[in-house]
Amino acid sequence: MTTTLRHHGRTALVTGGSRGIGRGICLRLAREGALVAVHYGHDRAAAERTVKEIETEGGRAFAVHAELGVPGDADTLWAAFDRELAASGAVPGLDVLVNNAGITLPRTVADVTEEEYDRVFAVNTRAPFFIIQRALGRLRDGGSIVSISSGAARIAYPAIVAYTMSKGALDTLTLSLAKELGPRGITVNTVAPGFTETEINPTLQNPQVRQALSAASVFGRLGTPADIADIVSFVASDEARWVTGQWIDATGGVHLGL
């Protein structure tokens, strides 16, 4: 449990914040004092549970609904954010934006259809691009943008090639934004998880798969949402004000030495 309120008085939005890594990030930011907007695309009940858990712990949060990967998704998200933020009594604006929402596609290059390819890029690349674009007028100077990528974006992983391509594009966006927004004191970084244990990853129910993926890390275990959330919280804080444009490996040392 953290002992600091490094995000006290700040407002954060986490896309895909209702479950998995996103939920872990929401909980951590709220514990450190942020008012957290928990975005969800389809699972309203999960978002409401996350909000309730934050409130039970003494934090502040509200849910924001917008389906990503469809026309107008960024405008829908920000309209919902502005509305719910006003309803909470908070001042307009944003300090931390975490682009976490994403979908995977377990297909090799030979099996990916054009429709599947377009869907992955619509959710993983196009949506965060325009979410960020619409956020610039709301994001306060000295704020932070953190995008959740994947260790697979820099490790050959043919089984999910379209997914890794979409994350690679997001990584490149981080570099350009960091340079553009630097004069405003806004940091922009990427955090790249490895094999992470979440309730929405059915492959981890297979003992052989769990063992193989755990063995890929030098620590001999899977990552947890809390492992990733701790890193995101630091990178989004003023303590990391001199860190920008970086791709931060949060894989637990996957494939070191190979």
Side-chain angles (χ1 to χ4, degrees):
M1 179 67 68
T2 180
T3 58
T4 180
L5 291 178
R6 57 160 65 111
H7 296 295
H8 177 70
R10 307 179 86 197
T11 298
L13 168 66
V14 181
T15 66
S18 63
R19 299 187 297 169
I21 291 173
R23 173 180 171 274
I25 294 170
C26 288
L27 293 173
R28 179 63 188 239
L29 294 177
R31 286 169 184 156
E32 295 187 321
L35 168 62
V36 180
V38 181
H39 162 263
Y40 71 98
H42 301 284
D43 196 340
R44 177 179 177 178
E48 291 178 343
R49 284 195 299 270
T50 301
V51 169
K52 182 64 174 178
E53 185 172 356
I54 288 172
E55 292 175 342
T56 299
E57 293 183 355
R60 299 180 301 146
F62 56 86
V64 173
H65 174 253
E67 181 181 356
L68 301 185
V70 299
D73 51 5
D75 289 332
T76 299
L77 184 149
W78 286 116
F81 172 85
D82 292 341
R83 181 175 63 252
E84 296 299 329
L85 184 67
S88 74
V91 297
L94 182 73
D95 300 285
V96 178
L97 171 61
V98 182
N99 294 298
N100 167 76
I103 59 174
T104 189
L105 181 62
R107 303 273 195 281
T108 58
V109 63
D111 297 321
V112 176
T113 68
E114 292 182 6
E115 292 77 13
E116 289 172 333
Y117 179 96
D118 289 344
R119 174 64 177 164
V120 167
F121 271 80
V123 175
N124 295 358
T125 309
R126 183 185 183 278
F129 182 96
F130 287 104
I131 288 170
I132 291 169
Q133 182 190 76
R134 269 51 164 197
L136 295 181
R138 296 171 171 85
L139 194 61
R140 286 184 269 269
D141 291 356
S144 177
I145 299 172
V146 182
S147 292
I148 305 301
S149 180
S150 169
R154 299 198 180 181
I155 299 169
Y157 213 102
I160 52 173
V161 59
Y163 169 82
T164 60
M165 288 175 64
S166 71
K167 291 298 187 179
L170 200 60
D171 298 345
T172 300
L173 177 60
T174 287
L175 293 174
S176 294
L177 286 172
K179 186 172 181 63
E180 180 176 352
L181 300 179
R184 293 180 56 191
I186 296 171
T187 62
V188 188
N189 292 288
T190 295
V191 173
F195 303 117
T196 307
E197 183 161 21
T198 68
E199 70 274 17
I200 57 177
N201 191 343
T203 62
L204 298 180
Q205 302 306 312
N206 184 311
Q208 287 75 32
V209 172
R210 288 182 62 88
Q211 182 177 3
L213 298 185
S214 296
S217 165
V218 297
F219 300 117
R221 68 171 177 86
L222 298 171
T224 68
D227 291 328
I228 310 306
D230 288 353
I231 298 167
V232 170
S233 177
F234 167 71
V235 172
S237 75
D238 187 60
E239 295 168 270
R241 61 191 174 276
W242 205 235
V243 178
T244 195
Q246 299 305 301
W247 190 89
I248 299 169
D249 186 308
T251 67
V254 166
H255 296 313
L256 281 178
L258 294 181

